[in-house]
Amino acid sequence: MNNSSDVKVVIEKLTERLGNDAVQSVVPEKYLSDRTSALKGRADCIVIPRNTAEVSFIMKTCSGHGVSVTPRASGTGVTGGAVPSGGILLSMEKFNRIIEIDADNLCAAVEPCVITLDLNKAARDKGLFYPVDPGSQDESSIGGNVAENAGGMSAVKYGTTKDYLLGAEFVTPDGTVMNAGGKFVKNASGLNILAILSGSEGTLAVITKLVMRLVPLPGARRDILMKFDSLEHAADAVKRITSAHIVPTAIEFMERSAIELVSKHSGKEVPFGGADSLLLFRIDAGSDAELDRQEKAIVAAAGADEDSFMVARSEDESALLWSVRRGVRPAIEKESPVFLAEDCAVPRSEIPRFVRAVKKIFEEKNIDSLFFGHAGDGNVHIDILKRDIPDDRWKALLKELKPLIYKEALSCGGTITGEHGIGSLRKEYLPLQFTVEEIELMRRVKRAFDPEGILNPGKIF
Ligand SMILES: Cc1cc2nc3c(=O)[nH]c(=O)nc-3n(C[C@H](O)[C@H](O)[C@H](O)COP(=O)(O)OP(=O)(O)OC[C@H]3O[C@@H](n4cnc5c(N)ncnc54)[C@H](O)[C@@H]3O)c2cc1C
């Protein structure tokens, strides 16, 4: 694949059809990495199509010459999904239109590079709401979210991207334009291609249009911050809340090291900033009375006394609390450009066991770590910063730690990644979670879409 004379011919053909504006052989640096720590790729050319017909032509041309294509949206992925390894980098950045907010059918038709938060803002103008809110929502795109099956803070109550995907137009690696689903909620026709595209990490097809489900905007919401003297106690509280069948919109957690890092890099003073661990709850409902009921139930289940929780009393207070939580990853990137970021997910009831087991591994090896994430849905983020650890020691440490963390998640009945995906970072660990036959089944699906293996090679498998 990517024989230099084939690449040259492809670039000539693409330039002739799409013009110099859309095809550039000098690829700007920013397109060669995403937000994965210490990962940089290379590409022979960047192509920026303007419409589906151009995507189809690009794929047909590349497929005819065995040249690889790596789709890219906003480049906020954290497992290297959009990082190219030669061939064509396909930037979908011009596919950035909200085509329609269809209030009658509670859905939106969008191009894939619409920014997640922009869809939410447009929906809100019509009294609707797009509930999937990854920490990167002001940068990431809906297409990137679909390709990664992104989750967010509100997954506890509202689910993840796959739960909102109603329809897609996509281009297969041989250039054929296809459709699945539409503006309808129920769909029992044939195999569920949307489910296969969801989380496919740009390895099966290039998405050119999406129909996403919207929901009515809740009438009222409230944010509650609760402090704990250990992460294990916070995890136990989450277990008691979910076991009591209380479903907040979000339950996020941060350990002190994560809070301190945000304070250091943003200068923000966090309420309860001296606590060992914090839980941040969002609840939403149709009325304040219902919010009062939910608040009481959460406080009772968590066993919190009146000094150990506070309720945000204004939009500014709410914004501060959420900016602290959303600020964790940017603060990590500033503190240490090289870091390990794991996002295992376990059944909610297993969070305390998982956290205790991983903490024990780190204590035995005397490693500083950061724990934060989406406690309400069992998605635990575990980060380790390289700081001044020498390169050789760092590499050896990752090799040793990653399988240990994954094995703990799997032994708790979980998965090695809850939302960030496999990309190029975790592919060697797939066999920890899946049997040979299960991986071969996934490979057969890949081959059915992409027999030549030209689309985003080297990812997932
Ligand atoms: C600060 C920060 C916070 C984050 N918080 C969260 C979080 O809370 N939850 C979460 O799930 N993730 C989170 N992420 C990770 C990241 O934002 C998500 O994975 C997001 O979905 C990536 O979207 P993107 O538009 O940046 O896609 P990119 O990074 O550009 O691409 C991601 C993948 O999608 C593929 N792709 C892109 N466009 C297309 C297309 N049109 N057709 C087919 N494939 C395509 C690419 O090939 C790649 O494999 C966070 C990242 C950062 C930096």
Side-chain angles (χ1 to χ4, degrees):
M1 201 185 297
N2 296 340
N3 172 296
S4 58
S5 56
D6 283 321
V7 170
K8 198 162 164 264
V9 175
V10 162
I11 294 175
E12 277 165 14
K13 287 186 178 175
L14 295 183
T15 309
E16 191 184 318
R17 164 83 182 254
L18 276 65
N20 285 320
D21 285 357
V23 186
Q24 296 160 31
S25 295
V26 179
V27 184
E29 281 283 308
K30 64 172 186 173
Y31 290 102
L32 297 176
S33 57
D34 60 3
R35 298 284 278 277
T36 310
S37 163
L39 189 68
K40 195 170 159 221
R42 53 165 214 90
D44 294 295
C45 167
I46 177 170
V47 183
I48 309 179
R50 290 157 287 226
N51 53 49
T52 304
E54 288 186 351
V55 174
S56 169
F57 179 79
I58 294 163
M59 294 314 303
K60 218 172 266 171
T61 308
C62 289
S63 147
H65 292 274
V67 170
S68 68
V69 177
T70 304
R72 178 186 179 93
S74 297
T76 67
V78 287
T79 51
V83 178
S85 50
I88 304 297
L89 178 68
L90 185 70
S91 173
M92 297 298 286
E93 64 197 67
K94 292 231 152 89
F95 284 68
N96 59 3
R97 272 184 326 132
I98 295 178
I99 300 162
E100 181 189 15
I101 302 287
D102 182 344
D104 293 337
N105 289 305
L106 297 179
C107 67
V110 296
E111 292 182 336
C113 242
V114 165
I115 301 299
T116 314
L117 191 59
D118 290 347
L119 171 59
N120 207 354
K121 283 183 186 155
R124 278 170 186 264
D125 289 345
K126 299 220 172 174
L128 297 170
F129 167 48
Y130 178 67
V132 185
D133 54 352
S136 51
Q137 62 174 349
D138 53 350
E139 297 176 79
S140 73
S141 72
I142 297 293
N145 294 167
V146 168
E148 295 289 347
N149 188 20
M153 318 289 174
S154 306
V156 190
K157 180 166 177 177
Y158 290 104
T160 60
T161 307
K162 68 178 185 324
D163 302 311
Y164 294 85
L165 179 57
L166 293 179
E169 175 190 83
F170 55 96
V171 180
T172 53
D174 65 1
T176 311
V177 180
M178 297 195 185
N179 283 278
K183 285 185 173 181
F184 32 88
V185 175
K186 287 186 170 176
N187 182 8
S189 299
L191 294 185
N192 189 347
I193 298 296
L194 292 176
I196 293 173
L197 287 178
S198 168
S200 61
E201 303 192 28
T203 62
L204 301 183
V206 180
I207 297 163
T208 46
K209 188 174 151 189
L210 290 160
V211 180
M212 305 303 292
R213 187 163 73 91
L214 303 174
V215 295
L217 194 57
R221 64 165 206 232
R222 191 173 291 171
D223 296 321
I224 304 162
L225 187 69
M226 210 174 266
K227 65 175 176 175
F228 294 86
D229 57 13
S230 74
L231 182 56
E232 288 83 346
H233 287 159
D236 284 334
V238 173
K239 182 174 173 177
R240 285 197 301 277
I241 290 163
T242 53
S243 301
H245 301 171
I246 304 162
V247 186
T249 316
I251 314 177
E252 294 294 306
F253 76 100
M254 287 165 282
E255 205 181 18
R256 178 157 48 203
S257 44
I259 302 162
E260 284 172 353
L261 211 58
V262 177
S263 293
K264 176 177 168 188
H265 289 287
S266 68
K268 285 181 179 126
E269 279 278 327
V270 187
F272 294 149
D276 182 274
S277 293
L278 297 176
L279 287 181
L280 174 58
F281 299 89
R282 169 157 287 177
I283 49 179
D284 67 30
S287 67
D288 284 336
E290 174 54 18
L291 288 183
D292 291 343
R293 191 197 67 73
Q294 287 187 33
E295 181 186 319
K296 274 196 193 120
I298 288 170
V299 170
D305 62 37
E306 59 183 24
D307 295 329
S308 59
F309 76 97
M310 59 161 284
V311 177
R313 290 293 170 206
S314 66
E315 278 300 315
D316 282 351
E317 273 183 25
S318 276
L320 170 68
L321 298 183
W322 284 97
S323 71
V324 172
R325 169 60 190 91
R326 290 188 190 283
V328 178
R329 185 148 303 288
I332 287 170
E333 290 174 355
K334 280 189 190 152
E335 178 73 14
S336 172
V338 181
F339 53 89
L340 171 73
E342 295 302 337
D343 82 309
C344 300
V346 296
R348 292 171 244 235
S349 60
E350 294 294 320
I351 296 176
R353 188 177 135 204
F354 178 60
V355 166
R356 269 191 280 274
V358 177
K359 288 213 138 205
K360 190 158 169 269
I361 296 171
F362 291 168
E363 274 158 23
E364 282 167 7
K365 299 189 184 301
N366 203 14
I367 291 167
D368 285 340
S369 56
L370 290 143
F371 280 74
F372 61 100
H374 315 296
D377 56 41
N379 189 198
V380 180
H381 291 295
I382 302 160
D383 282 34
I384 303 173
L385 310 189
K386 178 173 181 287
R387 289 195 174 108
D388 51 7
I389 301 176
D391 289 353
D392 286 357
R393 164 96 184 100
W394 176 249
K395 271 191 194 143
L397 198 62
L398 296 196
K399 212 171 165 45
E400 187 187 0
L401 284 178
K402 284 168 102 173
L404 293 178
I405 298 170
Y406 298 150
K407 280 178 189 162
E408 289 300 345
L410 295 171
S411 84
C412 290
T415 173
I416 65 176
T417 166
E419 56 184 19
H420 293 163
I422 299 293
S424 56
L425 277 198
R426 301 194 173 117
K427 55 185 180 176
E428 65 185 284
Y429 302 104
L430 266 197
L432 290 179
Q433 182 163 350
F434 298 105
T435 63
V436 173
E437 292 79 9
E438 287 162 349
I439 294 174
E440 181 49 27
L441 179 62
M442 291 186 213
R443 283 184 187 278
R444 290 211 297 268
V445 173
K446 164 74 176 166
R447 285 199 290 272
F449 275 82
D450 184 15
E452 295 170 286
I454 62 161
L455 196 56
N456 214 356
K459 310 297 158 58
I460 302 183
F461 306 108

